């Protein structure tokens, strides 16, 4: 079966939010992409408290200096598309009030005709937590647990009732409801996070860092699901962060998804063989503008389909 392909929407500062999000969304749907995706970066600390992804000494990429709000970006895309699903990879759950996020996602799903995918994670930036988290960084897992429960409650039948540590809903009618049950997908990079996914979520959002690593993680997750008695299939979307260059990258230390379109597609073919449902191709960081992004997205899609992805 052909692997579904998703595309990242333009959120970075080289793009015009007034025109480029809708332009790229329409074009991606016309090209044939199955889904459109956003990510969340709340701020760019200067100087940073920690390195990128919490790794000491690793600088934040310059394009993170301006990243558009993910839900606003998805709303723009929803307004000009009809078919593509609309996902987040990921929303940093503890930066959001659970009830408000649940209602926003439900509203977007109702408005888009049932196309939202709620991809959630706990994040890693201490600076973002200091600016906007509703609980301390050390409690991030507990916040995500409650947010998942609140979403299920708010999206379910009225009257809604919930009694949690952060959220208290005595009894209320909460609308609009989603057009259908919104899938909740998690990044889940640790043992505890994988157990949360198996027990409480619909799917998995790994990052493609290499075929062997991805395949091993997928096997571990499937084994854990069997061990914990899960019978429902785990939906899967692997995110690949591509670094595009017009010329082929000829270094011996080329990382996955680094190089020209042919090299990116070569890595897509290899990762598709792992057998996950969908690949989200994030191409937005290196193009200079929306036209270059659209051209690259079309080239990658056409070559990937020709290669059997």
């Amino acid at each position: 079966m052909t692997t579904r392909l998703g595309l990242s929407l333009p959120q970075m500062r080289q793009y015009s939010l007034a025109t480029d999000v809708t332009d790229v969304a329409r074009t991606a749907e016309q090209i044939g992409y199955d889904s459109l995706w956003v990510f969340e970066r709340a701020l760019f600390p200067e100087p940073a408290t920690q390195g990128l992804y919490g790794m000491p000494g690793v600088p934040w990429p310059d394009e993170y200096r301006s990243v558009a709000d993910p839900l606003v970006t998805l709303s723009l895309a929803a307004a000009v598309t009809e078919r593509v699903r609309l996902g987040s990879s990921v929303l940093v759950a503890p930066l959001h009030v659970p009830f408000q996020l649940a209602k926003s996602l439900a509203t977007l799903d109702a408005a888009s005709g049932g196309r939202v995918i709620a991809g959630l994670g706990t994040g890693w930036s201490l600076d973002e937590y200091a600016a906007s988290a509703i609980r301390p960084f050390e409690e991030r897992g507990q916040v995500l647990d409650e947010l998942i429960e609140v979403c299920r409650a708010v999206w379910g039948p009225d009257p809604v009732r919930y009694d949690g540590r952060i959220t208290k809903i005595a009894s209320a009618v909460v609308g609009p409801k989603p057009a259908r049950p919104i899938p909740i997908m998690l990044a889940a990079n640790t043992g505890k996070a994988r157990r949360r996914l198996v027990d409480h979520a619909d799917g998995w959002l790994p990052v493609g860092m290499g075929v062997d690593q991805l395949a091993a993680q997928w096997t571990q997750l499937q084994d854990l699901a069997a061990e914990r008695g899960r019978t429902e299939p785990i939906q899967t979307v692997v995110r690949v962060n591509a670094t595009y260059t017009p010329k082929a990258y000829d270094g011996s230390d080329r990382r996955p998804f680094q190089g020209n379109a042919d090299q990116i597609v070569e890595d897509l073919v290899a990762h598709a063989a792992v057998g996950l449902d969908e690949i989200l191709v994030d191409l937005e960081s290196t193009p200079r503008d929306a036209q270059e992004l659209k051209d690259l997205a079309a080239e990658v899609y056409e070559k990937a389909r020709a290669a059997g992805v």
Side-chain angles (χ1 to χ4, degrees):
M1 187 177 81
T2 301
T3 304
R4 294 194 300 267
L5 290 176
L7 181 71
S8 58
L9 286 166
Q11 293 175 261
M12 297 176 180
R13 64 178 181 172
Q14 70 264 45
Y15 302 106
S16 167
L17 294 176
T19 58
D20 290 350
V21 174
T22 52
D23 185 22
V24 171
R26 285 193 199 95
T27 302
E29 186 169 67
Q30 292 166 0
I31 289 169
Y33 280 95
D34 299 285
S35 55
L36 297 171
W37 295 80
V38 293
F39 75 106
E40 183 160 37
R41 194 81 286 130
L43 47 72
F44 186 96
E46 226 172 23
T49 302
Q50 60 189 149
L52 184 68
Y53 307 131
M55 297 184 292
V58 180
W60 289 45
D62 193 62
E63 54 264 28
Y64 282 2
R65 288 181 178 276
S66 178
V67 177
D69 179 87
L71 293 182
V72 172
T73 304
L74 279 185
S75 298
L76 290 169
V80 297
T81 56
E82 298 178 354
R83 173 185 57 80
V84 288
R85 290 169 301 121
L86 306 163
S88 56
S89 178
V90 295
L91 297 176
V92 183
L95 305 186
H96 299 267
V97 175
F99 179 85
Q100 294 288 9
L101 182 58
K103 177 149 185 172
S104 293
L105 290 169
T107 302
L108 181 58
D109 193 72
S112 65
R115 294 189 281 143
V116 170
I117 303 167
L120 308 175
T122 54
W124 50 268
S125 170
L126 299 178
D127 295 285
E128 290 183 337
Y129 269 77
S132 63
I134 58 173
R135 297 296 299 171
F137 183 78
E138 293 73 21
E139 298 177 23
R140 60 196 182 279
Q142 299 170 42
V143 175
L144 178 54
D145 287 336
E146 179 159 325
L147 190 145
I148 293 172
E149 293 175 355
V150 170
C151 283
R152 303 288 194 205
V154 167
W155 299 341
D158 295 320
V160 175
R161 298 183 179 90
Y162 185 82
D163 185 14
R165 184 179 180 188
I166 303 165
T167 309
K168 308 285 185 181
I169 309 172
S171 180
V173 174
V174 183
K177 299 296 184 184
R180 92 302 189 214
I182 298 174
I184 294 177
M185 305 186 73
L186 304 178
N189 296 319
T190 66
K192 186 174 182 178
R194 292 190 187 101
R195 290 190 293 273
R196 177 186 292 115
L197 187 160
V198 167
D199 294 344
H200 302 297
D202 300 292
W204 181 43
L205 290 169
V207 176
M209 301 294 288
V211 175
D212 293 342
Q213 181 181 4
L214 180 65
Q217 290 176 339
W218 179 222
T219 298
Q220 291 171 2
L221 190 60
Q222 291 175 298
D223 290 345
L224 181 63
E227 176 186 317
R228 298 180 76 83
R230 176 171 176 144
T231 57
E232 182 182 359
I234 297 174
Q235 301 173 38
T236 52
V237 180
V238 56
R239 178 187 186 92
V240 298
N241 300 312
T243 303
Y244 169 74
T245 58
K247 296 182 180 180
Y249 182 83
D250 56 4
S252 59
D253 59 343
R254 183 178 80 88
R255 299 187 302 273
F257 306 104
Q258 180 187 53
N260 64 12
D262 289 325
Q263 290 178 315
I264 291 172
V265 169
E266 177 184 324
D267 293 329
L268 287 176
V269 171
H271 281 70
V274 175
L276 303 189
D277 300 325
E278 185 165 351
I279 300 175
L280 154 60
V281 189
D282 188 337
L283 299 169
E284 69 165 315
S285 63
T286 44
R288 293 166 295 181
D289 54 32
Q291 187 60 54
E292 192 169 300
L293 174 59
K294 290 188 297 179
D295 291 344
L296 177 59
E299 183 180 7
V300 167
Y301 183 88
E302 292 164 5
K303 289 183 174 181
R305 290 310 189 206
V309 178

